[in-house]
Amino acid sequence: MTDRPVTDRPLRVAVCASQVPFVRGGAEIHVEGLIRELGTRGYETALINVPSDWSTRRQILENCLAWRLLDLETAAGVPIDLVIATRFPSYVVRHRHKVVWVIHQLRQIYDMMGTPYSDFRPDDPKDRRVIAAVKAVDRRSLGEARARFTNAGNTARRMARYNGLDAVPLYHPPKHDGRYRCEGYGDFVLGVGRLDPAKRFDLLVRGLAAARTPLRAVLAGVGPERERLEALARRLGVADRLELAGWVDDDRLLDLYARCRAVYYAPYDEDYGYVTLEAFKSGKPVVTCDDSGGVLEFVEDGVNGCVASASRPRTLGRAFDLLWEDEDRARTFGRRGGERVAGISWDHVVEQLTATLRRERSGGSGGGGGCV
Amino acid sequence: MSRRILLCDSQRPFRRDPGAARLDALAEQLRKRDFEVDRALLPAAHLSAPPHPARHHLFDTALAWRLLDLTAGAKQTIHLLLATRFPAYVARHPNKVVWLLPDEAPDPKARTGAAASPRPPESDADRLRRSMERRAFAEARRLFVSTPERGRRIKRETGLDAVLLPLPAGDLRTAPDEAWDEVVEQLTSTL
């Protein structure tokens, strides 16, 4: 349990997140988990969740300004002791004791520029101005933090490369930690996540088509790609082996993890990805791709999963065949995956995020604990 | 296709807020009638007790609301913005409906520390707030108030007419669905 500084009232922590109205995904689960875990360790918490969506370039900067205008120094006359900011542009917020635990920056102006996942054009003068402005905002607002953490090594490397700022990766457990289980290795590979292009479930469908074995696939998630995936499955002749389960409740999701043969998780350059941890905690191997980013911090080809080539769906098919034909291998990979993630805990996360505040309260400078 | 409604309200972090419970009840009633509902909340710094907040915080939060794009979420249209307390109704939306609910409005006497007295002279901040409200209310497709007194104040200060739409009587958490019929019908009438 984390030692809290002794005061005559609980310490107040405001957790800042950027909300996309009517959307709920990994970032929301991440923040909810943090608030819950801070609360169980005696901190008073509040979620500051400002809508952050935009249809024009100008609105990106206006949203940053909206965050900057918020006053989170006190609430009802009592100081807010710590602000923990997460996703862009929530970390633009001002506070005398701000710690950032960055989930996402605006990747469309950084590593995703020039890919199908970004519509920013560096040869467009207007886009250039917005890109420069957001980079300046990032440098300043991240630079002023007392401590900088990221959700994964991928995010930290990106911040160092594009913003010249150091940060420490700080991994946290997935939503249902303690409830994942294994109930055998069934006849399907499981895919979990929002059905959007960056998650690349089309590769799963192509891999299914390239496989020799009759492995099925179950996709748990909703999103704009659904119709396209259905059409692709029909065109490739695997519609009868692909189940689009849509949104599933927590119990069903845990059951799917428990019974699948393996989990497919091959988004484009993902930073963290709960799915990898959920798969490993369920004792299941992960099939991913060589450009899936942070997933590769956990998945090792031939050790706890298979790393295929995104440009060659046949390699995904071979991975599926391998795990179908050798259940013992699937079991061994899954066991090793579980060992890989066994040490990730909320105790460590909370300790790190509150370290500068506790040091300050105990008479230290308040620096250190993550990169400052 | 279900219609999306965004409820906009002022947030009181770290405090028990009766307004939050009202919003919960309204959201539940809208969902029962097959609307998709989400919330947008900004912290209400202006409600901090003296001596902390400078008056500019009153308008910083209002400006923050004004800067937000609340017309869509992940490219899906938000069909109705329903705003309740100051300064959430300053938000922009082509189908904004305002339902003014009881609020702890900033009290100039509390902020200055002056003893209670007959109506103090109008300050620049008061004039700015009135101007802001006049514009925000005029933009609304419909303007409702939950009490007659509030309606009279709106008329006096902005010249605008508001329709009386009281909250259901009693405990909102246990009020029967029928008690909300009129409220929901009025609030969603522009859809």
Side-chain angles (χ1 to χ4, degrees):
Chain A
M1 185 71 77
T2 305
D3 289 331
R4 288 191 298 115
V6 176
T7 66
D8 55 358
R9 60 168 177 79
L11 291 174
R12 293 175 148 196
V13 181
V15 177
C16 297
S18 303
Q19 168 199 13
V20 177
F22 301 94
V23 171
R24 180 177 162 72
E28 285 71 31
I29 294 170
H30 181 151
V31 168
E32 285 168 8
L34 174 60
I35 287 177
R36 181 190 63 239
E37 298 295 330
L38 285 165
T40 60
R41 288 161 178 80
Y43 294 91
E44 264 194 71
T45 58
L47 172 62
I48 310 299
N49 200 14
V50 174
S52 298
D53 204 7
W54 35 77
S55 50
T56 68
R57 304 291 196 237
R58 175 182 164 137
Q59 282 161 353
I60 297 174
L61 299 172
E62 289 180 346
N63 202 270
C64 290
L65 179 56
W67 273 102
R68 200 70 174 174
L69 286 167
L70 296 184
D71 175 18
L72 296 181
E73 296 293 344
T74 68
V78 179
I80 297 175
D81 302 289
L82 171 66
V83 155
I84 299 174
T86 58
R87 192 161 69 168
F88 174 84
S90 72
Y91 49 72
V92 181
V93 74
R94 287 170 298 143
H95 192 271
R96 68 191 179 287
H97 205 121
K98 175 170 74 174
V99 168
V100 297
W101 187 22
V102 176
I103 302 176
H104 295 307
Q105 294 180 259
L106 186 64
R107 294 182 62 185
Q108 289 87 336
I109 68 162
Y110 292 120
D111 57 305
M112 284 187 172
M113 196 149 61
T115 75
Y117 309 110
S118 170
D119 64 355
F120 277 89
R121 292 182 49 202
D123 59 338
D124 177 271
K126 188 174 171 186
D127 276 4
R128 269 208 305 275
R129 284 197 292 275
V130 172
I131 290 166
V134 174
K135 284 183 175 177
V137 164
D138 274 3
R139 238 182 341 265
R140 176 161 180 173
S141 57
L142 293 170
E144 65 195 10
R146 295 288 196 106
R148 277 186 300 281
F149 300 94
T150 60
N151 63 334
N154 219 32
T155 321
R157 282 187 290 275
R158 191 179 303 125
M159 197 183 297
R161 178 181 172 191
Y162 290 105
N163 308 116
L165 295 169
D166 293 328
V168 173
L170 185 59
Y171 304 108
H172 67 286
K175 180 181 177 187
H176 302 292
D177 201 31
R179 293 180 61 197
Y180 300 100
R181 65 189 190 273
C182 179
E183 291 179 359
Y185 295 82
D187 65 349
F188 64 96
V189 62
L190 175 65
V192 179
R194 181 165 168 77
L195 304 185
D196 70 35
K199 298 300 184 189
R200 299 198 299 191
F201 288 116
D202 58 319
L203 289 182
L204 168 60
V205 178
R206 293 184 192 282
L208 210 60
R212 291 180 288 102
T213 53
L215 190 72
R216 298 187 302 115
V218 175
L219 256 187
V222 296
E225 285 282 282
R226 184 186 173 104
E227 283 180 20
R228 201 170 82 83
L229 291 169
E230 285 173 330
L232 180 64
R234 280 194 301 271
R235 186 159 59 81
L236 296 178
V238 294
D240 59 332
R241 290 160 58 202
L242 174 68
E243 178 187 340
L244 289 167
W247 180 85
V248 302
D249 64 23
D250 292 345
D251 287 341
R252 174 127 198 254
L253 182 63
L254 291 168
D255 181 66
L256 287 168
Y257 274 120
R259 294 185 297 106
C260 68
R261 175 73 61 138
V263 174
Y264 166 88
Y265 191 57
Y268 173 69
D269 201 20
E270 180 86 354
D271 285 338
Y272 189 41
Y274 288 121
V275 174
T276 311
L277 272 70
E278 293 189 311
F280 281 167
K281 285 180 176 282
S282 304
K284 301 302 169 71
V286 171
V287 177
T288 187
C289 285
D290 51 7
D291 61 352
S292 287
V295 181
L296 299 171
E297 292 185 49
F298 298 98
V299 180
E300 287 183 70
D301 188 49
V303 174
N304 54 25
C306 301
V307 180
S309 166
S311 59
R312 293 183 293 145
R314 272 199 311 276
T315 59
L316 279 165
R318 281 205 288 272
F320 295 151
D321 288 339
L322 176 75
L323 295 171
W324 170 266
E325 289 165 347
D326 191 343
E327 183 177 326
D328 281 342
R329 190 190 297 252
R331 185 176 299 109
T332 300
F333 282 6
R335 177 178 52 76
R336 290 177 185 156
E339 291 164 0
R340 175 71 180 82
V341 300
I344 295 174
S345 77
W346 278 111
D347 272 348
H348 178 68
V349 168
V350 172
E351 183 183 331
Q352 289 293 297
L353 292 175
T354 59
T356 52
L357 180 66
R358 286 183 288 110
R359 249 196 305 280
E360 183 180 80
R361 291 293 172 127
S362 62
S365 65
C371 290
V372 293
Chain B
M1 180 185 71
S2 44
R3 315 311 292 271
R4 288 190 189 80
I5 299 176
L6 189 65
L7 302 181
C8 297
D9 194 19
S10 273
Q11 180 185 10
R12 276 77 167 142
F14 305 101
R15 293 167 68 183
R16 284 192 64 237
D17 176 18
R22 281 195 302 259
L23 214 68
D24 286 345
L26 175 59
E28 184 184 342
Q29 289 299 323
L30 289 168
R31 289 191 183 106
K32 283 183 178 179
R33 293 161 175 78
D34 294 328
F35 294 102
E36 276 187 66
V37 183
D38 203 352
R39 267 168 253 224
L41 305 171
L42 262 64
H46 64 284
L47 294 176
S48 290
H52 167 68
R55 291 187 185 199
H56 70 265
H57 287 300
L58 191 75
F59 303 107
D60 283 357
T61 313
L63 178 56
W65 273 110
R66 198 71 178 171
L67 288 167
L68 298 180
D69 177 9
L70 301 173
T71 56
K75 299 186 171 56
Q76 304 290 310
T77 300
I78 294 172
H79 300 99
L80 170 65
L81 184 150
L82 187 53
T84 55
R85 294 183 291 180
F86 177 85
Y89 44 70
V90 179
R92 290 171 295 140
H93 191 278
N95 193 13
K96 177 170 72 174
V97 169
V98 176
W99 186 28
L100 285 176
L101 295 177
D103 184 17
E104 299 149 47
D107 180 350
K109 292 192 291 297
R111 287 185 289 130
T112 62
S117 65
R119 185 189 295 279
E122 189 175 68
S123 66
D124 288 341
D126 295 327
R127 274 191 287 277
L128 184 54
R129 176 178 173 162
R130 207 179 313 279
S131 166
M132 192 168 59
E133 286 187 334
R134 197 176 296 121
R135 179 164 181 172
F137 294 156
E139 290 173 341
R141 297 275 307 277
R142 298 208 67 185
L143 176 61
F144 299 99
V145 290
S146 57
T147 64
E149 296 76 23
R150 193 166 283 262
R152 286 191 286 274
R153 178 179 85 77
I154 298 299
K155 181 69 177 178
R156 185 175 67 241
E157 295 181 352
T158 69
L160 295 169
D161 293 310
V163 174
L164 179 62
L165 184 63
L167 283 157
D171 187 342
L172 294 179
R173 290 169 297 178
T174 55
D177 292 349
E178 306 79 66
W180 284 92
D181 282 347
E182 173 70 7
V183 168
V184 172
E185 186 180 329
Q186 291 292 325
L187 293 178
T188 61
S189 59
T190 57
L191 285 173

